[in-house]
Amino acid sequence: MAKGIRNIEAWEAALIKAMLAAGGMTKDQIVSYFTRPDRTVNPFRLAEIEKGESHSDVEAATPGQVAVYLRTFRSPGEARQRFFEENPLHPVNLRTLFRLKDGTTDILHIEETDRVECKESLHFKQLADYARVIVSFANARGGFLLFGVRDGDKAITGIHSGKLTGYDPAKLNQHLSAHFSPVPVCEKTEMVISGKTVGIIYVRPAAHKPIICIRDERDVLREADIYYRYPGETRRIKYAELVGILDERSRGTEHQWADVLRRVEAAGVENVAILDTITGEVSGHSGKFLIDEKLIPKLKFVAEGHFSEREGAPALRLVGDLETISVTGVHDAKVIVRKERLTDGDLLREFVDQATVENPRLYAGHLAHSAKLWLPIYFFMRQARIDEAGAIKLLSEGPNSKRSHLGAVIRRVRDRSRPSMSRQITAAAAEPERSKLIDMTLGLPETTEQCERLIKAAMTLQPGEIHPDHLLPLLGHCLDRFHEGFGTPLTYAIAYIDIVWHEQLVGATVASAPESA
């Protein structure tokens, strides 16, 4: 085995596996992301990872982890940290954090007791006790709550498999939201160590600290208390830590204002306008105008505090002409997006937004020019009032059609074929997200793992099970926040929903997917 492969760490092997599986890069290109001045990786040896001859026990990274790595690979330390932060519950991270103590077979080696709390058993009647620990982690550096591990000596006792992962997360969230504000963000999983199941809840550091108790429960939770994690214990916050949180909030606000003022100075005060993300009104030195209400949800990232070019936050570009309107209090203009040239992303965006486009035939005909087979088309066919035959004629007659690709597009439109990826996902494997989509109770995905689960669940829905007003905003949320990490799977899911929703509306059956799918 090549020396370079031995130097590849488990988390890097997870990334390599994901990049190899995704395609789109040659082995030489993948190697370039892992070769450093102090380490050379032989591209021919990547096949050993691909075949399972090396790092066979390592699970592939998630699309989100690959995306953050591609942005930070030049700084290995930061890249490793971001790999963890993107998905703390990835098996590679868990095996690194929770390994056995040397010379033992059932005792965990845990050093950071301010970030780990152990419970020997799991009883859901003790939710208040667990909530107290969860909030204490959120107010500090975040942390892990382990079930099936004795607190004193960290011996693994285990819990019944599926007891934690099978618990409805909505119940935990309801308890947290009823007793604390703001609500902490946590994720759960299980892992097997030495043949025993350990339940794990990971709590992310709160974005807005402190989280405060708003309701009493027994003698465990008291209104107005702030809980904080100290080494080995959870308790009411002390003066020094509370002052630290308040100082951090103050510094954060100051940095935000300083950044705004630097931008204003760079652009010139006379060239700056203020955007109200509630009303869509933009006002400045030269007047004011309104942004179409359909575009306002795309701007919510500003209000939510994700306005950072350094972090790669989304940006909205307004393209097109201004159309004069008359609105009470405002008599200037409204932004109308009118496009003569399209990208694949335009089709995805307008579909999840359920937008009425000015030239739907342009959108329907775009598949003749795109390199992608799976993009929404039936949505725009309905707006253009054309059926499959009309769409095939439009695609065939369009200028500059890629004839080698056109046949596959025509077959999928004619047969209403579904992406082959959808046939690999069972309804049972997509639960509980699938049932929640049907019941319209699934919340917005806040992590890449939740987005992955949403994508899988969406691709199991059948005619009669799609509620577009509930489902499409969820997919749009993934498109806004995670599309860079997902790419093809999210595009497939959107194309799949376009097909099945069309069948739901017209009441037709689907043909089998072509081999080219």
Side-chain angles (χ1 to χ4, degrees):
M1 186 181 298
K3 182 178 179 181
I5 290 296
R6 292 195 186 98
N7 292 337
I8 291 289
E9 297 180 31
W11 68 279
E12 295 174 303
L15 291 163
I16 290 172
K17 286 187 177 183
M19 294 163 77
L20 288 169
M25 289 189 191
T26 66
K27 287 185 172 63
D28 285 336
Q29 290 172 326
I30 294 175
V31 162
S32 69
Y33 286 102
F34 295 90
T35 297
R36 302 195 293 267
D38 61 342
R39 182 181 70 182
T40 300
V41 178
N42 189 329
F44 298 102
R45 301 306 182 187
L46 263 64
E48 296 183 1
I49 292 179
E50 189 173 27
K51 295 175 182 178
E53 297 172 1
S54 175
H55 294 290
S56 60
D57 61 337
V58 172
E59 295 82 354
T62 65
Q65 287 174 313
V66 173
V68 297
Y69 180 76
L70 295 180
R71 294 198 296 267
T72 59
F73 72 95
R74 291 182 178 86
S75 175
E78 180 185 0
R80 177 65 183 94
Q81 180 62 28
R82 293 296 296 274
F83 179 91
F84 171 83
E85 293 173 351
E86 178 63 25
N87 187 354
L89 297 183
H90 188 281
V92 168
N93 290 326
L94 295 180
R95 283 196 293 268
T96 301
L97 289 169
F98 305 119
R99 59 187 186 276
L100 293 174
K101 191 174 182 180
D102 291 342
T104 69
T105 59
D106 64 350
I107 297 179
L108 292 180
H109 178 74
I110 295 176
E111 295 180 341
E112 295 186 84
T113 56
D114 63 328
R115 299 200 68 195
V116 180
E117 169 83 0
C118 299
K119 301 289 185 182
E120 187 170 356
S121 57
L122 172 59
H123 302 290
F124 294 115
K125 291 182 179 180
Q126 298 178 3
L127 274 182
D129 299 273
Y130 304 152
R132 193 173 187 266
V133 176
I134 287 171
V135 169
S136 74
F137 282 138
N139 277 329
R141 298 193 298 144
F144 294 86
L145 178 56
L146 306 185
F147 299 96
V149 178
R150 198 158 50 225
D151 185 45
D153 58 2
K154 306 301 185 287
I156 303 170
T157 58
I159 62 172
H160 290 298
S161 177
K163 186 172 184 179
L164 179 60
T165 55
Y167 184 69
D168 186 356
K171 293 181 180 179
L172 176 59
N173 189 66
Q174 288 169 3
H175 188 278
L176 290 170
S177 60
H179 292 81
F180 296 96
S181 180
V183 181
V185 176
C186 53
E187 309 161 54
K188 60 185 174 67
T189 190
E190 293 175 357
M191 70 179 298
V192 176
I193 309 176
S194 295
K196 297 177 182 178
T197 300
V198 175
I200 304 173
I201 292 179
Y202 174 69
V203 185
R204 294 184 178 274
H208 304 285
K209 301 176 184 178
I211 296 175
I212 303 173
C213 183
I214 59 175
R215 179 181 175 186
D216 292 348
E217 181 166 341
R218 304 196 318 270
D219 58 347
V220 179
L221 304 177
R222 293 186 179 278
E223 183 179 356
D225 273 1
I226 299 172
Y227 303 111
Y228 195 84
R229 184 67 183 182
Y230 294 92
E233 66 173 340
T234 291
R235 56 174 297 172
R236 293 177 63 195
I237 195 168
K238 297 179 180 179
Y239 173 79
E241 284 71 35
L242 180 57
V243 170
I245 288 177
L246 298 178
D247 285 346
E248 183 180 353
R249 287 181 57 172
S250 178
R251 286 193 300 270
T253 301
E254 290 173 0
H255 290 159
Q256 290 176 350
W257 275 113
D259 184 57
V260 169
L261 293 175
R262 281 194 297 269
R263 292 168 182 263
V264 170
E265 182 180 16
V269 175
E270 69 280 4
N271 299 319
V272 173
I274 302 297
L275 165 65
D276 186 331
T277 61
I278 303 300
T279 65
E281 180 179 316
V282 181
S283 58
H285 179 75
S286 301
K288 62 180 68 174
F289 65 88
L290 284 180
I291 292 178
D292 191 325
E293 61 182 9
K294 293 180 181 178
L295 296 177
I296 293 177
K298 303 177 188 178
L299 303 174
K300 288 302 182 184
F301 68 88
V302 178
E304 294 170 358
H306 298 289
F307 195 72
S308 171
E309 291 178 346
R310 180 177 56 83
E311 295 178 358
L316 178 67
R317 182 176 61 181
L318 302 179
V319 180
D321 303 320
L322 297 180
E323 181 178 286
T324 302
I325 60 171
S326 178
V327 180
T328 303
V330 181
H331 301 285
D332 290 311
K334 182 177 183 179
V335 174
I336 304 295
V337 178
R338 294 172 176 163
K339 298 182 178 179
E340 298 179 358
R341 305 178 77 99
L342 299 177
T343 66
D344 296 343
D346 294 329
L347 272 71
L348 297 172
R349 171 51 56 194
E350 306 305 342
F351 174 76
V352 297
D353 285 351
Q354 303 180 63
T356 300
V357 299
E358 183 182 51
N359 188 352
R361 292 177 64 87
L362 180 67
Y363 283 75
H366 177 75
L367 269 73
H369 319 290
S370 172
K372 292 183 178 178
L373 177 63
W374 297 108
L375 289 169
I377 184 172
Y378 297 97
F379 176 75
F380 304 109
M381 287 166 51
R382 292 195 300 275
Q383 290 193 36
R385 300 183 183 276
I386 57 176
D387 57 10
E388 283 83 356
I392 291 172
K393 181 180 180 182
L394 175 65
L395 291 165
S396 302
E397 295 177 349
N400 302 318
S401 296
K402 299 178 180 179
R403 297 298 170 181
S404 60
H405 173 70
L406 185 59
V409 174
I410 289 175
R411 285 193 298 273
R412 68 148 287 206
V413 172
R414 180 193 63 207
D415 300 334
R416 296 182 189 168
S417 306
R418 301 179 184 180
S420 60
M421 181 179 174
S422 65
R423 295 177 297 186
Q424 303 168 11
I425 306 170
T426 65
E431 294 293 349
E433 287 79 5
R434 184 181 191 280
S435 295
K436 291 183 178 181
L437 284 177
I438 295 173
D439 296 337
M440 296 187 290
T441 58
L442 187 64
L444 284 177
E446 296 299 336
T447 66
T448 54
E449 182 180 3
Q450 291 174 359
C451 203
E452 287 180 81
R453 297 287 303 172
L454 166 63
I455 289 171
K456 290 180 179 178
M459 295 184 74
T460 66
L461 297 176
Q462 301 301 321
E465 297 178 338
I466 293 178
H467 304 286
D469 289 340
H470 175 70
L471 172 60
L472 295 183
L474 300 181
L475 292 174
H477 185 71
C478 286
L479 193 64
D480 287 335
R481 295 191 61 180
F482 305 115
H483 185 240
E484 183 178 359
F486 286 109
T488 300
L490 180 56
T491 301
Y492 278 9
I494 291 174
Y496 175 91
I497 293 301
D498 175 48
I499 298 163
V500 179
W501 184 19
H502 185 69
E503 294 166 8
Q504 179 172 302
L505 293 174
V506 302
T509 57
V510 66
S512 59
E515 291 300 319
S516 61

